[in-house]
Amino acid sequence: MTSSSVLDLAPVVPVVVLEDAADAVPLARALVSGGLPAIEVTLRTAAALDAIRAIAAEVPDAVVGAGTVISARNVADTVTAGARFLVSPGWTDALLDAMKGSGLPFLPGVSTTSEVVALLERGVTEMKFFPAEAAGGTAYLKALSAPLPQARFCPTGGISAASAPSYLALPNVGCVGGSWMVPGDAVAARDWARVARLAAGAAALRG
């Protein structure tokens, strides 16, 4: 799998924050059944690595990735846990080297034109645009498409079911990241049927 295939697996990549690793497998199964196989589990909680490990082992149809990757240690830990792609909110030379060295597809985070150009210099053409809404949204990405058409993005941050189609309509957007299909109350209630319904709606979004 290439990073391009991560962008192309589905129009939406769920961004998941799990407090309890026991929820990882049923949540992943609900997302996959709704048509969202690529799942970004963020490293924001103590349960994240165990969640990645469980999904990788028990949900073969899921493509589980690690989000909020900000250090070489994060890269090593998530590779060991079974992550199949990496996503960072930003990047440094050291972090980029670690992600490249992992052999996994990765999406380094950018929010400025200079960051995009710097990554293109290093041969990276696929990136996370974060925080999407706060950093300029669709207008910013549309403006980037003319001078930098070789860059492709997964915008994440503040995107909703209502705003996602406008992002997906842009030529330089492969998919969007979002969490509206995994609302906290549904996860807390373990309402996996609701998650599956919301995932199905997200999977049907097209630009």
Side-chain angles (χ1 to χ4, degrees):
M1 178 177 56
T2 66
S3 52
S4 179
S5 69
V6 173
L7 288 180
D8 296 333
L9 277 171
V12 180
V13 175
V15 178
V16 175
V17 180
L18 282 169
E19 300 292 344
D20 187 346
D23 293 332
V25 167
L27 177 64
R29 287 176 175 155
L31 291 169
V32 170
S33 72
L36 300 180
I39 302 168
E40 176 187 334
V41 177
T42 67
L43 301 182
R44 301 179 195 173
T45 68
L49 288 173
D50 285 338
I52 291 169
R53 194 173 292 112
I55 295 169
E58 299 182 47
V59 192
D61 292 333
V63 180
V64 64
T68 322
V69 174
I70 58 171
S71 68
R73 174 64 183 271
N74 286 164
V75 172
D77 288 346
T78 54
V79 168
T80 300
R84 293 172 62 185
F85 64 94
L86 307 171
V87 184
S88 69
W91 65 277
T92 63
D93 288 329
L95 179 57
L96 193 67
D97 288 346
M99 291 194 292
K100 280 186 171 182
S102 73
L104 297 180
F106 60 93
L107 296 172
V110 296
S111 61
T112 70
T113 308
S114 294
E115 290 169 334
V116 176
V117 172
L119 284 177
L120 292 174
E121 277 189 354
R122 290 160 174 79
V124 177
T125 60
E126 292 168 347
M127 314 164 193
K128 170 179 176 171
F129 180 58
F130 177 83
E133 286 288 285
T138 56
Y140 196 98
L141 286 171
K142 186 175 182 180
L144 286 180
S145 65
L148 302 170
Q150 65 271 55
R152 289 182 81 214
F153 301 95
C154 174
T156 306
I159 298 175
S160 66
S163 63
S166 61
Y167 282 94
L168 293 167
L170 297 174
N172 55 350
V173 170
C175 63
V176 300
S179 56
W180 72 86
M181 75 299 299
V182 284
D185 58 341
V187 175
R190 295 179 168 82
D191 188 350
W192 310 127
R194 181 181 169 204
V195 170
R197 287 194 303 271
L198 292 168
L205 292 175
R206 295 293 171 188

